[in-house]
Amino acid sequence: MRALELIIEDAPCLEKLLHAEGFGLRLSVVVAPKLATLGCPSDSYGNTRILFGATEFQGLNTVSLTTVMRSVKILAVNLRIFDLDKFIGLMKCFPCLEKLYIKGRNSALPNFWRRKHRHLLKSLDICLKTVVLEYYWAISGQVQFASFFVMNARELEVLRLVVETDNNNDQFFAKQHRMLQMEKRASMGARLDFTTHRCHYYGLLPIKHVYDLTIADPFQCRC
């Protein structure tokens, strides 16, 4: 399927950029100094290519990293696989992110970040306050992925895990506190929040909220 092509050359007042369609996107943003909310880049379509100045993403893979978008505070992404390497590239491009929404089902890929990224973590300042992971089943790759934010996001306030109904019980919750090593969390104020509730989605965006531009965070479920 042909990708949607969008070029934004000079948008001094643009604050939200939302792509909810179920096909690829070729996006080029040259100047958008107030862009604060971005969604929903995806790695599900091979023809997706995103440029922010001189920074390029193919899908969600970082091809080149030159331009930094400090204005972006809220990001939502749609994943085939929970891949931490992709997110480290995204966090370098968007170093001031405060909210991150992740929708992904496949967790087969391991995320052994402690040794692989130990030098990077000394200089990477993660400003995230809210992280939401959908379809959390506590598979090894997901646990490793989530623990990265628990143990490295110094300003984290809440890690929200959207779980299946079968896992909505105190025994599962207690086990996740142990597996995610909450006692070693980087932010002492961080907490785990479990929910089974999901909005009805079109792509990653809650249908009811997409077209209401007065809502500061269109990815937050309000149903």
Side-chain angles (χ1 to χ4, degrees):
M1 183 179 293
R2 187 175 180 179
L4 173 69
E5 186 167 353
L6 176 63
I7 299 174
I8 301 174
E9 292 186 350
D10 187 9
C13 297
L14 180 66
E15 296 181 1
K16 296 184 180 73
L17 182 56
L18 309 177
H19 172 60
E21 303 295 335
F23 48 80
L25 173 68
R26 290 183 176 272
L27 170 67
S28 178
V29 179
V30 181
V31 177
K34 292 186 178 180
L35 182 62
T37 303
L38 177 64
C40 304
S42 173
D43 64 353
S44 297
Y45 306 97
N47 55 357
T48 292
R49 180 172 176 263
I50 301 175
L51 289 171
F52 292 102
T55 292
E56 179 181 355
F57 294 95
Q58 188 70 40
L60 292 178
N61 294 305
T62 306
V63 177
S64 64
L65 183 60
T66 303
T67 303
V68 173
M69 299 283 290
R70 297 187 181 277
S71 63
V72 176
K73 308 294 185 183
I74 303 173
L75 174 67
V77 296
N78 200 342
L79 291 177
R80 288 182 300 170
I81 297 175
F82 282 86
D83 184 349
L84 189 56
D85 290 342
K86 294 180 181 180
F87 278 93
I88 288 177
L90 288 170
M91 285 185 288
K92 288 180 179 179
C93 181
F94 309 117
C96 298
L97 273 183
E98 295 181 1
K99 291 186 175 183
L100 177 61
Y101 295 84
I102 305 166
K103 182 180 181 181
R105 292 176 178 270
N106 193 330
S107 307
L109 188 70
N111 289 287
F112 300 125
W113 54 266
R114 286 177 173 82
R115 177 173 296 181
K116 184 176 182 180
H117 298 295
R118 64 183 183 277
H119 298 300
L120 173 65
L121 291 173
K122 295 178 181 179
S123 59
L124 185 64
D125 187 17
I126 303 173
C127 300
L128 284 166
K129 296 180 180 180
T130 300
V131 178
V132 180
L133 301 181
E134 286 217 19
Y135 300 103
Y136 182 81
W137 300 318
I139 299 171
S140 176
Q142 285 183 326
V143 173
Q144 294 161 357
F145 186 92
S147 69
F148 172 84
F149 298 104
V150 170
M151 302 183 72
N152 295 288
R154 298 181 181 88
E155 299 181 31
L156 187 66
E157 296 174 358
V158 59
L159 171 60
R160 182 164 295 115
L161 305 176
V162 184
V163 302
E164 299 301 315
T165 304
D166 292 345
N167 290 328
N168 188 27
N169 58 75
D170 291 340
Q171 183 178 358
F172 179 83
F173 299 162
K175 184 177 181 180
Q176 297 318 299
H177 274 82
R178 295 193 301 271
M179 294 179 69
L180 295 173
Q181 302 181 66
M182 287 297 292
E183 73 280 1
K184 297 181 180 179
R185 60 192 183 274
S187 169
M188 294 309 297
R191 60 183 175 84
L192 285 182
D193 182 26
F194 298 91
T195 181
T196 59
H197 185 71
R198 296 186 182 93
C199 285
H200 295 290
Y201 284 97
Y202 184 60
L204 187 66
L205 297 172
I207 292 174
K208 294 181 180 179
H209 312 147
V210 174
Y211 301 108
D212 188 350
L213 298 181
T214 64
I215 296 177
D217 183 357
F219 310 114
Q220 182 177 346
C221 184
R222 294 172 174 82
C223 296

